[in-house]
Amino acid sequence: MSKANQLLLEALDSLKAGDLRTGPEWERAHEICQAHEGEADFDWIHALCHRIEGDDGNAGYWYRSAGRARNRGTIAEEWAAIRGALAG
């Protein structure tokens, strides 16, 4: 597994460890994504971070940057969809 894939999964797993809420695990995921700004998969997770935060405007920016549409399901459903896409 590449270093980038490891970091993507670390960011996602941090969000899950934090029960998909803001807090220290959210901060870790956010930091990882910010360090890889402009890379589509990191931007996709960055969008989810801001969706979790409740900042829909900022989330929208990151969805556009990632070339992805916002998932219309729950945050947990979107997390699972991203995890499946990246692990699969």
Side-chain angles (χ1 to χ4, degrees), residues 56-86:
D56 289 335
N58 204 355
Y61 170 84
W62 291 107
Y63 284 117
R64 288 187 299 278
S65 181
R68 299 282 183 163
R70 178 185 168 135
N71 185 299
R72 297 295 174 202
T74 67
I75 288 170
E77 290 168 340
E78 182 170 12
W79 180 92
I82 295 171
R83 189 72 163 79
L86 297 179

Side-chain angles (χ1 to χ4, degrees), residues 1-16 25 28-49 66 68 79 82-88:
M1 179 181 297
S2 74
K3 178 70 173 167
N5 283 348
Q6 288 174 340
L7 286 172
L8 287 163
L9 295 178
E10 181 182 337
L12 278 172
D13 292 346
S14 290
L15 290 174
K16 188 69 164 186
E25 294 88 355
R28 177 66 185 137
H30 191 251
E31 288 171 6
I32 291 169
C33 293
Q34 280 188 311
H36 295 274
E37 189 174 316
E39 297 176 47
D41 289 337
F42 287 99
D43 290 350
W44 191 14
I45 298 169
H46 201 159
L48 180 60
C49 286
R68 299 282 183 163
W79 180 92
I82 295 171
R83 189 72 163 79
L86 297 179

Side-chain angles (χ1 to χ4, degrees), residues 14-16 18-27 52-53 75:
S14 290
L15 290 174
K16 188 69 164 186
D19 200 28
L20 303 174
R21 298 173 193 261
T22 57
E25 294 88 355
W26 181 94
E27 292 288 341
I52 290 168
E53 185 184 34
I75 288 170

